[in-house]
Amino acid sequence: MASDGSEEFRLVSPSISNEGRLPRHYTDEGQGAKKNISPPLEWYNLPEGTKTLAIVVEDIDAPDPDGPIVPWTHWVVVNIPPTVKGLPEGFSGKEGEMGGDYAGIKEGNNDWKVPGWRGPRLPTHGHRLLFKLYALDDQLHLGNKVTKEKLLDSIDGHVLGESSLMAKF
């Protein structure tokens, strides 16, 4: 329960139902301008004391050709102020343009070694993308090159709550 006795801390998308299919225009298999668009996300009932939010999106079924399944990072977003209630569709790469509360948000590098959202393009479908939202009790200072590893190392002991959304591709 949230501090006010209402529902739990939740992460949702108006375009993706939990465990539903990821629409094609959010993937690398879309067409033209309708390709690799970051999906819209919304969150509700932040834990009391939340100072910032962070998002990690991973393909949790990504195979390593030489070994076990190793999650593949599609998106890392940090320093989302608690006044922001979600990220609109196509947000990736536009935080500066949007200004206001969005201006301080930083996108980290995905596993293609570039900042921002990069949707899946798979030889086989049936993979699951896990969108994970962290509510944190402190701002993050991760330097210029933000990565999932730096984020996860820095939030140890600062997580007030976690929420997730699963999409299938």
Side-chain angles (χ1 to χ4, degrees), residues 73-77 106-117 144-149:
T73 304
H74 287 271
W75 203 18
V76 178
V77 186
K106 183 162 180 71
E107 293 184 280
N109 283 4
N110 54 42
D111 279 346
W112 286 273
K113 311 286 187 245
V114 295
W117 167 263
N144 287 332
K145 187 176 177 185
V146 175
T147 64
K148 174 187 73 172
E149 291 74 22

Side-chain angles (χ1 to χ4, degrees), residues 16-71:
I16 309 164
S17 62
N18 192 38
E19 298 193 16
R21 285 193 55 77
L22 184 69
R24 188 172 177 168
H25 58 279
Y26 303 134
T27 74
D28 197 40
E29 294 181 351
Q31 304 222 341
K34 289 289 194 179
K35 174 181 178 177
N36 275 325
I37 298 170
S38 59
L41 299 172
E42 299 172 355
W43 40 85
Y44 300 93
N45 305 312
L46 296 181
E48 190 172 329
T50 299
K51 299 265 191 308
T52 189
L53 299 156
I55 297 169
V56 173
V57 181
E58 297 179 299
D59 175 347
I60 60 173
D61 297 315
D64 177 338
D66 300 318
I69 290 174
V70 177

Side-chain angles (χ1 to χ4, degrees), residues 1-5 9 45-52 82 135-138 158-161:
M1 297 289 270
S3 57
D4 62 359
F9 177 40
N45 305 312
L46 296 181
E48 190 172 329
T50 299
K51 299 265 191 308
T52 189
L136 307 170
D137 67 0
D138 202 2
H158 295 283
V159 178
L160 298 172

Side-chain angles (χ1 to χ4, degrees), residues 60-144:
I60 60 173
D61 297 315
D64 177 338
D66 300 318
I69 290 174
V70 177
W72 184 265
T73 304
H74 287 271
W75 203 18
V76 178
V77 186
V78 299
N79 293 335
I80 304 167
T83 52
V84 170
K85 304 301 179 203
L87 299 178
E89 181 177 270
F91 169 80
S92 184
K94 295 186 172 98
E95 55 273 17
E97 290 174 32
M98 293 181 70
D101 286 345
Y102 294 96
I105 296 173
K106 183 162 180 71
E107 293 184 280
N109 283 4
N110 54 42
D111 279 346
W112 286 273
K113 311 286 187 245
V114 295
W117 167 263
R118 178 114 178 239
R121 180 182 198 93
L122 305 170
T124 60
H125 290 239
H127 287 229
R128 295 170 295 160
L129 280 185
L130 179 64
F131 292 75
K132 199 157 195 185
L133 176 67
Y134 299 92
L136 307 170
D137 67 0
D138 202 2
Q139 286 291 324
L140 299 174
H141 305 284
L142 302 175
N144 287 332

